[in-house]
Amino acid sequence: MSSPPKAPELVAHRGNAAEYPENTLPALRSALELGARYVEFDVQLSADRQPILLHDSNLKRTAGIDRNALEMTWQELSEVSVNEETRFLKRYTDVGIPTLAQAASLLATYPHATAFVELKRASLRTFGHEIVVRKVCETLKPIARQCVIISFDLAAVHHVRQVSSYRIGWVLSDYSNLSALKCEALAPDYVFCDYQLLSEGTSKLWLGPWRWAIYEVTNRKLAMDLAARGAKLIETMAVRAMLREFRSLRARA
């Protein structure tokens, strides 16, 4: 009889985004204080090429402002509150957009934590791969050993490998034979995939030199099923609840 799969490691998706506005310093700090060893966040560039933590290029969802952040300077963006009023009502009124440098300073105080830094396609299209990759790599240099640079954009991930020594991760848009071939050619350190892209017939994830990170997971049963298929990490916004469940699993093992 085969032994049950080992509980996967947890990645805090945009920080502890269940309890704080996503991609903010409070969300990241909370995840790290709760004991998450891995965090993930998104990076865009401001109009004056400042790397910032932001998922959507438009500020409507997070800040209630119908403006394109990529067309705003960092000075303008520093005055914006990303309080996610739809989710949190008036609970957070002064949570700002962090710079990547601020996030790096926070991570430096948690030297055993690893950050997955996602380059967003909107900024890659607007500013070009070379500028985005250079700005992000330069900013993360003080904590380079703690960082993995990831993206849906395969060319951007490939460029990171060409010009730097950072570890890389590719985020899949689909789980297909063509993507498997591209993965084999790239041989990234990590492969990310939304669990909803996996068919029920996917008994085992592709084997390779990479580690699998499956995201949008919010319950232990699904996490353990994915671990049995080969996932070493699961990514979730429900950081507190999932960490608690994983700890109880390990305590009983």
Side-chain angles (χ1 to χ4, degrees), residues 147-211:
C147 299
V148 183
I149 300 180
I150 70 174
S151 184
F152 279 94
D153 191 307
L154 184 59
V157 175
H158 183 66
H159 185 65
V160 173
R161 170 165 283 167
Q162 286 183 310
V163 302
S164 78
S165 58
Y166 284 88
R167 289 173 290 167
I168 59 170
W170 185 31
V171 190
L172 301 181
S173 296
D174 57 70
Y175 189 86
S176 65
N177 290 336
L178 179 58
S179 291
L181 290 172
K182 291 178 179 178
C183 221
E184 288 177 10
L186 179 67
D189 300 282
Y190 294 86
V191 181
F192 284 72
C193 184
D194 187 330
Y195 85 89
Q196 296 176 84
L197 294 178
L198 303 174
S199 68
E200 291 185 6
T202 306
S203 59
K204 288 292 182 181
L205 298 166
W206 312 324
L207 294 176
W210 49 79
R211 300 179 75 196

Side-chain angles (χ1 to χ4, degrees), residues 1-241:
M1 180 182 293
S2 60
S3 58
K6 181 181 177 182
E9 292 281 357
L10 181 141
V11 181
H13 191 184
R14 307 179 199 171
N16 181 9
E19 299 179 20
Y20 295 89
E22 65 180 43
N23 284 322
T24 62
L25 293 180
L28 292 177
R29 185 177 293 110
S30 174
L32 293 165
E33 288 177 349
L34 287 169
R37 291 182 54 228
Y38 299 87
V39 295
E40 181 271 350
F41 50 82
D42 306 292
V43 174
Q44 305 271 15
L45 293 192
S46 64
D48 50 350
R49 312 313 197 252
Q50 174 76 261
I52 57 173
L53 270 59
L54 194 67
H55 183 274
D56 306 357
S57 55
N58 189 286
L59 294 168
K60 182 68 175 177
R61 179 177 64 87
T62 53
I65 302 169
D66 190 13
R67 291 193 64 183
N68 184 349
L70 280 55
E71 297 174 353
M72 300 170 66
T73 65
W74 164 239
Q75 183 60 46
E76 293 174 304
L77 290 166
S78 67
E79 299 173 1
V80 172
S81 293
V82 282
N83 53 359
E84 290 194 67
E85 194 168 312
T86 300
R87 284 208 297 149
F88 296 111
L89 302 177
K90 300 292 185 182
R91 184 176 174 186
Y92 302 105
T93 58
D94 59 351
V95 178
I97 300 171
T99 63
L100 182 58
Q102 289 172 326
S105 293
L106 173 61
L107 282 160
T109 65
Y110 293 86
H112 299 297
T114 296
F116 295 104
V117 182
E118 183 175 340
L119 310 181
K120 301 306 291 182
R121 287 180 288 193
S123 286
L124 290 165
R125 286 192 299 265
T126 300
F127 302 103
H129 294 67
E130 186 176 344
I131 289 176
V132 174
V133 169
R134 177 164 50 82
K135 289 290 186 180
V136 169
C137 288
E138 287 174 354
T139 305
L140 293 175
K141 191 173 181 180
I143 58 163
R145 66 172 188 82
Q146 291 179 253
C147 299
V148 183
I149 300 180
I150 70 174
S151 184
F152 279 94
D153 191 307
L154 184 59
V157 175
H158 183 66
H159 185 65
V160 173
R161 170 165 283 167
Q162 286 183 310
V163 302
S164 78
S165 58
Y166 284 88
R167 289 173 290 167
I168 59 170
W170 185 31
V171 190
L172 301 181
S173 296
D174 57 70
Y175 189 86
S176 65
N177 290 336
L178 179 58
S179 291
L181 290 172
K182 291 178 179 178
C183 221
E184 288 177 10
L186 179 67
D189 300 282
Y190 294 86
V191 181
F192 284 72
C193 184
D194 187 330
Y195 85 89
Q196 296 176 84
L197 294 178
L198 303 174
S199 68
E200 291 185 6
T202 306
S203 59
K204 288 292 182 181
L205 298 166
W206 312 324
L207 294 176
W210 49 79
R211 300 179 75 196
W212 279 98
I214 308 298
Y215 60 93
E216 303 297 2
V217 179
T218 56
N219 67 80
R220 184 179 68 186
K221 183 178 183 300
L222 177 58
M224 295 308 293
D225 174 64
L226 292 166
R229 298 195 227 177
K232 298 299 184 185
L233 303 102
I234 67 106
E235 187 174 351
T236 185
M237 290 186 177
V239 179
R240 187 184 299 273

